[in-house]
Amino acid sequence: MGKTFHLSVLTPEHEFYSGAVETVRVAATDGEVCILAGHAPTVYALAEGELTLRDDTGRTRWAAASDGFLTVTQDRAVMMLQSAEWPEDIDRVRAERAERRAKEALLQKQDRQSYMMNQAMLLRAMTRLSVSSKHSVNNQ
Ligand code: ATP
C-alpha cells in the first residue's frame, strides 16, 4: 500500500466522503489532476467531472462531482463541491431530463451568464450519465 492522506469531500447537504486515501483524481478547470500523499500545498478550482479515489484498502471508487474547490495541505485534502453522487445513487432518468433541458436551452439566444449556467448544467448531467453507466454496480 502507498502512503495515504486524509480526504474530506463536503457538499452543502452533507459530508460525502471522509477517510484515508492513496490517490484522488479530479477534473480541475485547466485539466485533470491527481493528488498523492506529500503533494505541495495548493488550491484548485474544479470543473464538473468524474472523481476517482483509491482508499486505504486499495479499493477504487468513482463519483460524479460538480464544480467546486480542492484545497491540499501537507496531510489533508478538502474538496468543497456543489454536489456529488456515487454511481448507484444517480437517477438516470432525471439526468437525461436535465441533459435534454440544458441542450434545448443552449440552442436559444442568451446572455453569457445564462450560457455558462446551461453549459455547466449540461456537463453535470453528462457526467452523471457517464459515471452511472461506467461504474454502477449493476453494470459490473
Ligand atoms: P436537476 O435539474 O435534475 O435538479 P441539477 O444539475 O440542476 O439537476 P444539482 O443542482 O446539481 O442538480 O443538484 C441538486 C441536488 O440533487 C444535489 O443533491 C444532487 O446530488 C442531486 N441530484 C441532481 N441530479 C441528480 C441525479 N440525476 N441523480 C441523483 N441525484 C441528483
Side-chain angles (χ1 to χ4, degrees):
M1 193 178 73
K3 277 185 80 175
T4 62
F5 58 100
H6 190 271
L7 172 71
S8 303
V9 181
L10 309 170
T11 77
E13 287 160 12
H14 64 309
E15 184 175 66
F16 178 75
Y17 186 86
S18 174
V21 293
E22 277 182 34
T23 58
V24 180
R25 201 163 343 120
V26 276
T29 50
D30 49 5
E32 196 178 65
V33 293
C34 183
I35 310 295
L36 302 168
H39 190 285
T42 187
V43 179
Y44 292 100
L46 302 179
E48 297 78 5
E50 189 169 303
L51 158 68
T52 310
L53 60 89
R54 208 165 122 88
D55 69 18
D56 59 349
T57 67
R59 177 177 176 212
T60 302
R61 303 188 69 183
W62 295 269
S66 74
D67 61 324
F69 291 95
L70 165 63
T71 305
V72 185
T73 56
Q74 276 310 331
D75 55 355
R76 280 184 89 75
V78 180
M79 289 176 69
M80 303 190 80
L81 304 173
Q82 289 294 338
S83 66
E85 300 95 32
W86 300 115
E88 56 275 21
D89 297 328
I90 293 172
D91 176 342
R92 291 187 60 86
V93 173
R94 178 175 169 182
E96 279 161 7
R97 224 183 293 131
E99 182 186 39
R100 223 165 21 244
R101 219 180 317 118
K103 282 184 177 166
E104 278 162 17
L106 283 167
L107 291 173
Q108 308 301 316
K109 192 168 163 51
Q110 61 208 287
D111 59 30
R112 186 172 162 74
Q113 196 178 355
S114 307
Y115 178 77
M116 302 294 281
M117 274 178 49
N118 288 323
Q119 217 180 27
M121 195 207 291
L122 178 59
L123 211 49
R124 281 198 303 276
M126 288 172 65
T127 299
R128 286 175 177 133
L129 290 171
S130 146
V131 166
S132 127
S133 54
K134 274 200 290 185
H135 304 302
S136 193
V137 278
N138 302 327
N139 298 327
Q140 285 171 3

